[in-house]
Amino acid sequence: MHDLVQYFREKQLEKSTETTMKTRCPYCSMQCSMDLIEERVETRNRFKVKPNKNDPTSEGRLCIKGTFAHQHAINEERVHFPLMKLDGEFVRVPWELTFEMIANQMKSLQKEYGHNSVAVYGGGSLTNEEAYLLGKFARVALKTKYIDYNGRFCMSAAAFAANATFGIDRGLTNPLSEIEDSKCIILAGTNLAECQPTMLPYFKRAKKNGAKIIVIDPRKTLTAKQADIHVQIIPGMDGVFAIGLLKVMVEEGLVNYDFVKDQTDGFFEAEQRVKEISYSSIKKLTGVKLETIFEVARLFATSKTGMIFTARGVEQHANGQENVRHFLNLLLATGKIGKHACGYGAITGQGNGQGGREHGQKADQLPGYRSIENESDREYVANVWGVSPAELPRKGVSAYELFEKIDKGEIKAMVVMGSNPIVSNPNAIFVENCLKKLELLVVVDMFQSETARFAHFLLPSSSYLEDEGTMTNLEGRVVYRHAERKLPGETKHDWQILCHLAEALGVKQGFRFANSEDIFNELRIASKGGKADYSGITYENIKEKGVFWPCPEQSKGTPLLFETGFFTSNKRANFLTNFDIPEKAKVDDEYPLILTTGRLMEHYLTGVQTRRSKQLVERSLEAFVEIHPETAKHQQIIDGDLVAISSRNGSAILKARLTELIREDVIFAPFHWGDLHSVNRIFPPIFDPNCYMPQFKQVSVKVGPVMKIQKDAIFQSTIN
């Protein structure tokens, strides 16, 4: 009894302190803001999360990922000190020596093989400041043309399509707040109920206000459950479905000819092309009934207002940009663009997938969405950076092509920042083998990811709780991210690492920044006059609500695009006119099914962060594949079996999950796991030739219990 009394007395004497940190979720493009409350009780820490009710985008909502995001930032697996690979093991080294050794090896390689022997691979979760500085570092400090980033696999198709159609690429042409006033909404290839859960209430309000919602997806997802019409399409045929909709609109006189005449080019060529395509071929390719095609076309065309949203299900194909443009054709044909509750949204995947592609991480871009091949753009940015235009490298190659350059021996060293290319690339085994060939691999990350395992140097970077900066959400709203937690160990910010590396390379001018705001102020100047003009944005004017770009003056920016015309040279939007009908994935007796991929609510990208969150892992621990029960019966698979999925390119091992919510000819697997569970090993290197988006959403495969597949493989190798 005495011991119990003493225990409670000691508990009462324990000192408790609370620290409240303003921050933003580091995951999806909604960039929901919150307060993270850290309570310290003696040696123990407890965390509480409070959503920001005044956030104009999230409106005070958080999903499960945001609620537990802090768990990866305080995870004991975080790398706290710079590490060097020595005899196959990582050993701790001082920062100064680390920078010196990396710089010396880079200089030695470039002296022998040229500037382009060193490459840079960035990420769409970096802040605007760090994405900007990474592009500058590559082109000024390293003088290499070889830089690209993982956003190539996320937004390149939608970006290409929007630029070709509208002359500008911003995720949403309208603020999210306008969705509730839209009367017909098409959600194509997006499962936002799991991928952007805090966005879903906008569509629920629209439905409550009388909107009709059409969801196009081969699976009956949580998003599809909200739909008035669910179009359960064959993967890859979304563009064909949109062609069918335009054909109905043309042939039934549902086109807004006044808008077409006054504000667009190319309609009559597009009109003639869709007339040449038969309804029977559209039905056969899409797997969709003609009654549904007619119903959706009439509904969208006759609604007073309407919006179309696309995501990776439409875009991650060898004709991804064309797929998107077919949907944009519908907006132009009906005049549903450039006004309230009428517009387009490319639902950005990564936290800064929008800002990450605007300021120089892409192979062909300079800050402000300028072109690295345009002479006036080169001259302007070179002047901001204090170098000669002739010193700026020209256009490089896309993300996957960087690994092909490694394979050919043209690239000898690579800096990877904020990305995990071994898991995120198609043909992932090839990518892994390429990284092993490098003479120098520097990985900047919080954790020892699948890619970092092969690094010669692993440099510890800061988390979202420690890294101040700006992000650009899916609306095109530039927002400020507070960072109030102290850096752990010897961790440095990404921008600090880049500045130190530049100095070690002998390039001090242009890389002396005291803080992230200094970098942002240079970014403002570098973007001025570009399509993505941030020059009127300051840290001060975005701390409350954020500001939409373009923003050439200190004002509210541009929430609604195209009110006064498009961003093309003649201010008119362009129809897609010259197109072929794409082919379905070729299935046969050996590979009879189509594999498609996507995200889960609990995980983000390659799972490096979310797989280190206890609560998220408890909800979604294992990699799996969804299979229709009838399909499983034919393949002698029962629920919970360990199965092998194989294509002509590669294979992965996952756990079977039987569900009637998917087509019988399609299987689905998430891509958040690595090694044997990495589904991207299965996908061959097939790309959209215009934007180099990989084809992640359809490949013909076979699936069966692991032992049976293994026995078949052994038998086949024996008879060969």
Side-chain angles (χ1 to χ4, degrees):
M1 184 67 179
H2 177 269
D3 290 342
L4 190 61
V5 171
Q6 183 65 24
Y7 170 79
F8 282 111
R9 282 178 179 171
E10 289 174 359
K11 291 293 290 181
Q12 289 173 346
L13 291 173
E14 282 187 350
K15 293 181 179 179
S16 174
T17 59
E18 274 192 0
T19 302
T20 299
M21 296 171 280
K22 292 183 180 299
T23 188
R24 289 186 181 276
C25 174
Y27 297 132
C28 88
S29 54
M30 287 291 285
Q31 283 300 291
C32 306
S33 57
M34 70 188 93
D35 287 345
L36 179 64
I37 303 161
E38 182 176 8
E39 182 184 8
R40 296 183 185 90
V41 182
E42 294 298 324
T43 59
R44 294 176 292 113
N45 287 17
R46 291 193 293 242
F47 293 88
K48 294 182 289 185
V49 175
K50 182 180 178 182
N52 177 13
K53 299 293 184 183
N54 296 317
D55 188 313
T57 302
S58 68
E59 301 178 322
R61 295 182 289 272
L62 274 181
C63 76
I64 189 170
K65 284 199 293 289
T67 302
F68 296 111
H70 62 277
Q71 291 183 340
H72 83 265
I74 60 171
N75 191 284
E76 61 184 15
E77 291 185 44
R78 273 191 72 176
V79 181
H80 287 172
F81 306 96
L83 302 174
M84 179 180 72
K85 187 74 68 61
L86 190 63
D87 295 330
E89 300 290 335
F90 280 121
V91 296
R92 180 176 169 181
V93 287
W95 272 114
E96 188 175 353
L97 180 60
T98 299
F99 291 130
E100 181 183 344
M101 288 190 291
I102 293 171
N104 286 343
Q105 194 165 352
M106 285 179 170
K107 286 188 282 189
S108 176
L109 289 169
Q110 289 187 317
K111 183 177 181 180
E112 183 173 356
Y113 301 107
H115 291 301
N116 294 325
S117 63
V118 181
V120 175
Y121 193 105
S125 295
L126 302 179
T127 64
N128 287 319
E129 293 80 359
E130 287 157 345
Y132 165 80
L133 197 63
L134 188 64
K136 182 180 180 182
F137 172 79
R139 291 163 178 129
V140 176
L142 290 175
K143 296 182 171 61
T144 181
K145 68 179 180 179
Y146 289 137
I147 175 173
D148 210 65
Y149 79 127
N150 62 15
R152 175 74 65 174
F153 307 148
C154 179
M155 299 306 302
S156 61
F160 188 98
N163 277 312
T165 303
F166 305 133
I168 195 171
D169 157 41
R170 195 180 81 182
L172 271 63
T173 60
N174 308 55
L176 286 171
S177 57
E178 294 187 8
I179 291 174
E180 64 185 55
D181 295 328
S182 191
K183 296 305 178 187
C184 187
I185 299 169
I186 294 176
L187 298 171
T190 173
N191 182 16
L192 56 87
E194 291 201 62
C195 300
Q196 283 88 10
T198 58
M199 188 180 177
L200 188 62
Y202 287 103
F203 298 93
K204 288 186 174 181
R205 287 206 297 265
K207 191 169 182 177
K208 189 176 180 180
N209 291 340
K212 297 295 183 182
I213 296 179
I214 298 109
V215 172
I216 306 169
D217 199 302
R219 301 164 62 221
K220 293 178 182 177
T221 63
L222 291 176
T223 306
K225 290 179 180 179
Q226 306 296 322
D228 295 282
I229 302 172
H230 174 210
V231 181
Q232 200 165 9
I233 199 165
I234 294 172
M237 296 297 104
D238 308 80
V240 179
F241 180 74
I243 290 171
L245 300 184
L246 183 60
K247 182 177 177 68
V248 174
M249 293 174 188
V250 165
E251 295 184 354
E252 295 196 354
L254 300 175
V255 173
N256 184 337
Y257 285 100
D258 289 338
F259 181 88
V260 164
K261 180 182 177 182
D262 294 342
Q263 299 195 48
T264 74
D265 288 325
F267 170 74
F268 295 104
E269 291 89 341
E271 178 184 44
Q272 184 58 41
R273 181 71 184 98
V274 298
K275 285 181 178 179
E276 297 168 358
I277 301 167
S278 69
Y279 285 119
S280 60
S281 64
I282 293 170
K283 177 185 176 181
K284 182 179 179 180
L285 286 167
T286 61
V288 179
K289 296 177 181 178
L290 289 183
E291 307 93 88
T292 302
I293 295 171
F294 277 82
E295 182 183 8
V296 172
R298 292 164 182 160
L299 192 58
F300 190 78
T302 58
S303 292
K304 185 177 180 181
T305 55
M307 302 180 82
I308 295 176
F309 296 83
T310 68
R312 308 305 82 74
V314 171
E315 300 155 15
Q316 287 180 329
H317 294 280
N319 62 328
Q321 63 87 21
E322 277 198 6
N323 284 343
V324 177
R325 291 200 69 185
H326 285 305
F327 282 98
L328 299 185
N329 275 1
L330 302 178
L331 291 173
L332 299 183
T334 58
K336 291 182 172 64
I337 189 75
K339 56 187 179 182
H340 183 80
C342 293
Y344 170 62
I347 302 179
T348 311
Q350 297 193 70
N352 200 29
Q354 179 68 57
R357 68 182 184 267
E358 295 167 358
H359 299 300
Q361 282 194 98
K362 274 188 72 188
D364 58 351
Q365 280 183 2
L366 291 171
Y369 229 122
R370 289 183 163 91
S371 169
I372 202 164
E373 294 297 312
N374 181 283
E375 296 304 324
S376 62
D377 287 348
R378 291 171 60 84
E379 184 176 357
Y380 179 83
V381 174
N383 183 59
V384 174
W385 287 349
V387 298
S388 164
E391 294 179 67
L392 288 180
R394 291 284 174 173
K395 180 174 69 172
V397 298
S398 71
Y400 182 83
E401 290 175 296
L402 292 175
F403 299 102
E404 294 180 326
K405 295 289 183 183
I406 295 171
D407 188 50
K408 293 174 183 176
E410 296 176 36
I411 292 174
K412 303 291 184 180
M414 177 177 277
V415 177
V416 177
M417 179 171 280
S419 191
N420 189 17
I422 279 181
V423 180
S424 62
N425 272 263
N427 202 20
I429 293 292
F430 170 78
V431 172
E432 180 177 321
N433 290 332
C434 288
L435 289 179
K436 292 176 183 176
K437 292 182 178 182
L438 288 170
E439 295 186 35
L440 175 65
L441 174 60
V442 179
V443 174
V444 184
D445 207 321
M446 290 183 287
F447 300 100
Q448 193 176 139
S449 67
E450 286 83 358
T451 300
R453 291 178 199 160
F454 299 98
H456 299 98
F457 291 90
L458 175 53
L459 310 185
S461 61
S462 53
S463 78
Y464 76 107
L465 293 177
E466 305 128 18
D467 192 21
E468 179 189 34
T470 63
M471 309 287 276
T472 306
N473 74 7
L474 79 171
E475 296 176 288
R477 188 194 300 261
V478 184
V479 296
Y480 173 75
R481 186 175 75 191
H482 294 263
E484 300 175 2
R485 188 173 171 84
K486 184 180 177 182
L487 284 167
E490 294 181 10
T491 299
K492 291 185 182 294
H493 301 305
D494 293 329
W495 66 266
Q496 290 176 321
I497 292 170
L498 293 173
C499 289
H500 284 299
L501 269 177
E503 185 174 354
L505 288 164
V507 184
K508 297 181 181 180
Q509 182 181 347
F511 291 91
R512 289 176 173 169
F513 298 101
N515 50 47
S516 62
E517 188 172 9
D518 283 352
I519 303 170
F520 187 77
N521 285 333
E522 183 177 294
L523 181 158
R524 293 172 58 206
I525 298 169
S527 71
K528 187 173 184 178
K531 289 180 179 178
D533 191 333
Y534 281 32
S535 61
I537 302 174
T538 66
Y539 268 32
E540 197 56 40
N541 68 8
I542 62 173
K543 284 188 176 179
E544 292 299 321
K545 302 290 186 182
V547 173
F548 291 85
W549 71 263
C551 183
E553 299 176 358
Q554 290 194 30
S555 65
K556 66 178 182 178
T558 314
L560 175 61
L561 294 176
F562 316 136
E563 285 187 285
T564 58
F566 296 95
F567 284 71
T568 55
S569 58
N570 64 0
K571 305 296 183 185
R572 296 167 67 84
N574 299 306
F575 275 87
L576 174 64
T577 59
N578 185 23
F579 54 86
D580 295 317
I581 298 297
E583 295 182 356
K584 290 190 291 188
K586 294 179 179 178
V587 296
D588 53 33
D589 291 341
E590 186 177 4
Y591 298 96
L593 301 170
I594 299 173
L595 168 67
T596 192
T597 65
R599 285 188 184 184
L600 304 177
M601 184 183 293
E602 296 84 2
H603 288 293
Y604 177 67
L605 301 184
T606 63
V608 173
Q609 294 162 298
T610 52
R611 283 187 275 123
R612 288 171 171 84
S613 170
K614 183 175 182 290
Q615 266 71 22
L616 298 179
V617 169
E618 284 177 353
R619 288 172 60 101
S620 183
L621 174 63
E622 297 175 306
F624 64 88
V625 55
E626 290 184 352
I627 308 172
H628 193 280
E630 287 300 315
T631 306
K633 186 188 300 182
H634 289 305
Q635 304 300 326
Q636 298 179 325
I637 295 168
I638 62 173
D639 194 56
D641 268 358
L642 205 59
V643 299
I645 307 170
S646 300
S647 70
R648 291 178 175 86
N649 189 74
S651 60
I653 296 175
L654 308 171
K655 186 166 281 190
R657 184 177 292 181
L658 306 193
T659 174
E660 294 183 348
L661 302 180
I662 194 166
R663 293 177 59 99
E664 291 185 31
D665 53 357
V666 175
I667 62 174
F668 166 85
F671 52 72
H672 306 299
W673 285 269
D675 301 323
L676 288 173
H677 308 305
S678 173
V679 293
N680 286 345
R681 293 180 172 201
I682 300 170
F683 288 90
I686 298 173
F687 300 88
D688 186 311
N690 297 283
C691 59
Y692 293 93
M693 169 69 85
Q695 183 159 285
F696 281 134
K697 289 296 182 275
Q698 57 167 328
V699 63
S700 55
V701 296
K702 60 183 175 183
V703 60
V706 168
M707 289 306 296
K708 182 178 185 299
I709 293 288
Q710 288 176 334
K711 287 176 183 176
D712 288 349
I714 292 169
F715 176 73
Q716 193 65 37
S717 63
T718 302
I719 64 174
N720 287 340

